[in-house]
Amino acid sequence: MFIARLFSSLSDSSFGKFSMESIRTPFRGIIQDLKGRKACYEQDWASGVCCGARILAPTTYVFFASALPVIAFGEQLSRETDGSLSTVETLASTALCGIIHSILGGQPLLILGVAEPTVIMYTYLYSFAKGRPDLGKELYLAWAGWVCTWTALLLVLLAIFNTCKIITKFTRIAGELFGMLIAVLFVQEAVKGVISEFHVPHAEDSSAEVYQFHWRYVNGLLGIIFSFGVVHTALKSRRARSWPYGTGWFRSFIADYGVPLMVLIWSALAFSVPKSVPSGVPRRLYSPLPWEPASLHHWSIIKDMGKVPPAYIFAAFIPAVMVAGLYFFDHSVASQMAQQKEFNLKNPSAYHYDILILGLMTLLCGLIGLPPSNGVLPQSPMHTKSLAVLKRQLIRKKMVESAKECMKQKASISEIYGKMQQVFVEMDSTPDPSVAKELKKLKDAVMGSEDRDHVDGEFAKHIDAHLPVRVNEQRVSNLLQSLLVGASLLAMPVIKKIPTSVLWGYFAYMAIDSLPGNQFWERILLLFVTPRRRYKILEGAHASFVESVPFNWMAAFTLFQFVYLLACFGITWIPVAGILFPLPFFLLISIREHILPKFFPPLYLHELDAAGYEEIPGNPHGRHGVALTQGVDKEYSVEENDEMEISDSEVLDEITTSRGELKLRSISFDEKFVQVFPEDEEQPRDS
């Protein structure tokens, strides 16, 4: 009865009006997206080509960020489906869908790949199929092909009827709960994997020497060492930009490529075991090679789809609804994160058209026996951020050169700034009215400059501090990284050398690395901080809700989320019905809109479920809100150090969460106090 009321409430008020309007104007969103992207399609390619070899830096960065999870998911799929799918299929799907999207897709900054939700759904499909004598393992991929066919139909209908605006109904509470569930599932997979290192693998001969007790024990111990080693070193290297030692380029290199480097190092260490140890210790990734029969049979799976009994063809619609909902949510959120307004993107979005392309790619993958790919986090905003650094460096270099040239000609300060603004307009193609607004802080800093003789020092410092974020919007890097993923198939003989325990450590790393910036996780930690120690939270950078929401309300909201997370996680343990695990996230739309406002004050709910991640700098001696402690009336100030060495990458890392969300930095709680109580009615986010 309760669930029925929740679903019925979706049809009322603005939601119902929106639905009727969308049905009356089919294809409107797709046509608008096509018109918008057609105007900049040629420029998308030209911008990438003009970068020359510089485009290789973001390309390789995103390639490693995409390939490693896909390899790990392939091993997980292989274990869960008894080898029906493997790393070959996940790499092939990621490469194929990535190439198609980079050429035909609407938003080229969006990165596609096989993600954990796909692995979960395909695992449930296999559990259902193998328990049915008229399906079994033989027709598993054929039946999954029918699921993909229904999913594609639903996604195409969602695109045609302009439903992408629904994504605004999924607020922070849904996104962070989903992220936490995926993190918990990552940890679960890591723990299960490490424990399995002590046991005989499924369908293996337990009498073999390598599976004797003492060698299984050795394999398990090595698995623990390699797993924890990968987790520890990967987390350390991920934060290398904040290291106090090493040069800037060295820290940036370790931060960008440290994780794949740690996987490589720990995989190499696996070969350092004594020769007396059997070759199967430690265990390594199992996957057939791309050219072997085991990897070729799925390409013709369309021939077996006709063998699926009609009852199961229609029954495939049920999981297809869940898969379509997951892909719609995951793909749209990833696209949204890749084009946050703080990135100042100039080209239009294409949500409806991208969902249409996703539906067609899902159909293609189903017909050739591949698990479909969709937009992924955090790779998509990572891609945008890497291109922001590239564009920023190019503009900065040209602006500094123009300032130098003006100084040689004994130009005035106003003439120097005018030349710098001209360079910015030429390189950024920004209309003049918006330039004045965006460069106001830079103009004030330059016009007030007293150092006319040290352009590299004074003017470069002002440019670094006040140059707006700019992104080199193009398609080349996405296409190249997808081609590299495809080329990885040829490296499968080498990839198979990776120990499975290294992949379990990588699963744990992905879970831990996703937690910073998740306000749900931060509030869970805050519950364990004693009242007398809460002032410590205020001394460091912290989310704005810490000061604006009373602790009791914050704790109640967090406990609600925690109980909801446990319910979602519990559903994943139900053998076959676990395929319905996306359902609670759809119900959250109605719960958030109609139930929670009855229990939480609107202003507190707005803060705890805010659209953006708003952060307040640490202030050990300044004014704070009354949520945690009473502050003192003393202004907070920091003396800037002119000798600080801070790169563009480091700045973007500091203002970006692990899932790629840009933080909105408030100067103080006083400034935030004004923002929490807007005069105008709160406007919904643009989708």
Side-chain angles (χ1 to χ4, degrees):
M1 194 70 180
F2 172 69
I3 293 178
R5 286 203 304 267
L6 287 178
F7 274 120
S8 65
S9 65
L10 292 177
S11 60
D12 63 2
S13 66
S14 60
F15 191 86
K17 295 178 183 178
F18 158 72
S19 300
M20 293 304 299
E21 181 184 352
S22 300
I23 293 175
R24 294 194 190 102
T25 55
F27 294 101
R28 183 184 63 181
I30 296 176
I31 294 173
Q32 290 177 348
D33 290 346
L34 280 172
K35 288 181 179 179
R37 295 308 306 193
K38 180 182 177 182
C40 56
Y41 186 79
E42 183 178 347
Q43 183 63 31
D44 284 343
W45 292 106
S47 298
V49 173
C50 290
C51 289
R54 289 189 297 270
I55 201 66
L56 296 179
T59 297
T60 53
Y61 173 64
V62 176
F63 161 67
F64 284 117
S66 298
L68 277 178
V70 170
I71 292 172
F73 294 147
E75 175 63 17
Q76 182 183 356
L77 261 180
S78 179
R79 287 161 49 89
E80 301 292 347
T81 63
D82 296 330
S84 296
L85 294 168
S86 66
T87 301
V88 171
E89 284 74 33
T90 55
L91 285 172
S93 172
T94 300
L96 178 63
C97 294
I99 292 171
I100 293 174
H101 181 79
S102 63
I103 298 174
L104 302 177
Q107 179 50 261
L109 301 176
L110 180 64
I111 300 297
L112 272 62
V114 175
E116 180 69 9
T118 299
V119 176
I120 297 171
M121 300 302 287
Y122 263 67
T123 299
Y124 285 127
L125 294 179
Y126 181 76
S127 299
F128 177 83
K130 75 174 182 179
R132 303 296 184 277
D134 37 1
L135 283 178
K137 182 178 179 181
E138 294 73 19
L139 291 179
Y140 158 59
L141 289 179
W143 185 59
W146 282 111
V147 174
C148 289
T149 301
W150 285 115
T151 301
L153 175 63
L154 292 171
L155 289 172
V156 169
L157 291 175
L158 288 172
I160 290 175
F161 291 105
N162 316 305
T163 56
C164 288
K165 292 182 180 179
I166 297 177
I167 200 63
T168 60
K169 299 287 183 178
F170 288 97
T171 56
R172 173 175 291 275
I173 184 176
E176 294 193 335
L177 269 172
F178 187 76
M180 280 293 290
L181 178 63
I182 297 301
V184 171
L185 293 174
F186 279 159
V187 172
Q188 174 183 269
E189 187 63 27
V191 173
K192 287 169 55 179
V194 171
I195 293 175
S196 70
E197 297 291 328
F198 289 91
H199 300 289
V200 179
H202 179 66
E204 293 290 340
D205 183 10
S206 60
S207 63
E209 179 188 9
V210 71
Y211 299 128
Q212 297 304 306
F213 173 78
H214 56 286
W215 289 125
R216 283 191 284 118
Y217 189 73
V218 170
N219 184 78
L221 291 179
L222 288 175
I224 293 176
I225 294 172
F226 290 155
S227 299
F228 278 89
V230 169
V231 172
H232 180 73
T233 55
L235 289 173
K236 287 290 186 182
S237 63
R238 181 75 172 81
R239 294 157 177 77
R241 284 196 180 92
S242 61
W243 289 355
Y245 35 81
T247 58
W249 71 266
F250 174 76
R251 295 195 305 272
S252 294
F253 176 81
I254 296 298
D256 291 340
Y257 304 104
V259 176
L261 187 62
M262 293 305 110
V263 171
L264 179 63
I265 290 175
W266 284 100
S267 298
L269 287 175
F271 290 94
S272 63
V273 297
K275 294 182 179 180
S276 57
V277 176
S279 59
V281 178
R283 294 174 196 165
R284 304 183 188 278
L285 185 149
Y286 173 78
S287 175
L289 297 175
W291 46 86
E292 292 179 347
S295 295
L296 297 175
H297 76 284
H298 63 79
W299 295 105
S300 58
I301 208 68
I302 188 174
K303 296 187 300 183
D304 296 330
M305 291 177 67
K307 301 177 183 178
V308 177
Y312 290 108
I313 293 177
F314 290 102
F317 182 79
I318 298 175
V321 173
M322 297 295 106
V323 177
L326 263 181
Y327 282 3
F328 176 81
F329 173 74
D330 220 12
H331 197 76
S332 299
V333 170
S335 181
Q336 198 174 41
M337 297 291 287
Q339 46 192 330
Q340 300 168 65
K341 63 180 181 179
E342 289 80 12
F343 282 130
N344 297 316
L345 301 185
K346 301 303 178 185
N347 296 337
S349 61
Y351 289 100
H352 307 88
Y353 175 67
D354 279 342
I355 292 295
L356 174 67
I357 294 296
L358 176 63
L360 299 178
M361 290 188 298
T362 300
L363 176 62
L364 174 62
C365 288
L367 296 179
I368 59 178
L370 297 178
S373 295
N374 64 280
V376 289
L377 291 172
Q379 291 90 330
S380 296
M382 286 170 61
H383 182 215
T384 307
K385 188 174 73 170
S386 66
L387 294 171
V389 173
L390 175 63
K391 183 78 172 183
R392 184 185 174 101
Q393 289 171 340
L394 293 174
I395 298 178
R396 178 191 185 279
K397 181 179 179 182
K398 291 291 185 181
M399 292 179 75
V400 171
E401 288 177 353
S402 68
K404 285 182 178 180
E405 187 65 28
C406 289
M407 289 298 295
K408 290 180 181 178
Q409 300 174 5
K410 306 296 183 181
S412 64
I413 291 293
S414 60
E415 290 173 332
I416 293 175
Y417 171 75
K419 185 64 176 178
M420 292 167 65
Q421 178 176 308
Q422 180 182 346
V423 169
F424 181 84
V425 172
E426 291 175 355
M427 296 194 65
D428 195 57
S429 303
T430 302
D432 286 338
S434 60
V435 167
K437 181 179 179 180
E438 291 188 302
L439 296 184
K440 183 180 184 303
K441 292 184 178 180
L442 176 61
K443 179 180 180 180
D444 293 342
V446 172
M447 298 300 289
S449 175
E450 298 179 357
D451 189 351
R452 296 172 51 92
D453 301 320
H454 299 88
V455 177
D456 280 328
E458 188 71 12
F459 288 110
K461 183 185 71 173
H462 295 325
I463 292 173
D464 288 338
H466 304 295
L467 185 63
V469 174
R470 283 294 182 265
V471 176
N472 186 20
E473 301 178 61
Q474 42 74 47
R475 297 177 180 267
V476 176
S477 59
N478 200 344
L479 176 62
L480 291 179
Q481 72 89 19
S482 299
L483 291 172
L484 286 175
V485 172
S488 300
L489 289 168
L490 302 177
M492 278 305 299
V494 178
I495 293 175
K496 290 177 63 175
K497 302 295 184 182
I498 299 176
T500 53
S501 54
V502 168
L503 295 181
W504 311 143
Y506 185 73
F507 271 110
Y509 158 75
M510 287 192 293
I512 297 172
D513 192 56
S514 68
L515 297 179
N518 187 316
Q519 292 187 359
F520 177 29
W521 171 251
E522 293 175 354
R523 282 187 271 107
I524 290 176
L525 296 180
L526 193 58
L527 294 179
F528 294 94
V529 179
T530 59
R532 291 181 178 275
R533 298 290 291 176
R534 287 176 193 159
Y535 73 92
K536 283 287 187 181
I537 305 297
L538 303 174
E539 291 184 351
H542 50 276
S544 60
F545 67 80
V546 172
E547 299 193 30
S548 58
V549 180
F551 183 81
N552 290 341
W553 288 107
M554 188 192 312
F557 188 82
T558 305
L559 289 176
F560 162 75
Q561 280 188 285
F562 184 73
V563 171
Y564 208 88
L565 173 65
L566 291 180
C568 296
F569 181 64
I571 293 175
T572 65
W573 280 77
I574 304 175
V576 176
I579 201 169
L580 300 176
F581 84 92
L583 188 60
F585 295 99
F586 304 146
L587 293 178
L588 264 180
I589 296 178
S590 188
I591 293 174
R592 170 61 180 88
E593 190 168 348
H594 301 285
I595 307 298
L596 291 182
K598 296 180 180 179
F599 294 94
F600 294 90
L603 293 175
Y604 298 159
L605 191 58
H606 171 78
E607 271 292 276
L608 295 169
D609 195 30
Y613 186 106
E614 192 147 5
E615 187 178 76
I616 298 175
N619 187 357
H621 303 296
R623 293 184 60 190
H624 298 300
V626 297
L628 294 185
T629 184
Q630 292 289 343
V632 293
D633 293 326
K634 185 175 180 179
E635 294 296 329
Y636 175 65
S637 63
V638 177
E639 294 184 3
E640 295 185 0
N641 186 354
D642 293 341
E643 303 300 324
M644 288 194 300
E645 178 190 359
I646 303 177
S647 66
D648 292 342
S649 301
E650 186 174 354
V651 171
L652 286 171
D653 272 359
E654 289 180 355
I655 64 174
T656 310
T657 66
S658 294
R659 66 193 294 258
E661 183 180 10
L662 286 174
K663 302 174 183 177
L664 307 177
R665 181 65 66 89
S666 297
I667 298 175
S668 66
F669 179 72
D670 291 332
E671 176 190 294
K672 175 59 199 168
F673 187 79
V674 176
Q675 296 173 353
V676 175
F677 304 100
E679 294 181 1
D680 300 328
E681 183 179 353
E682 179 190 358
Q683 298 295 323
R685 289 176 295 169
D686 295 333
S687 67

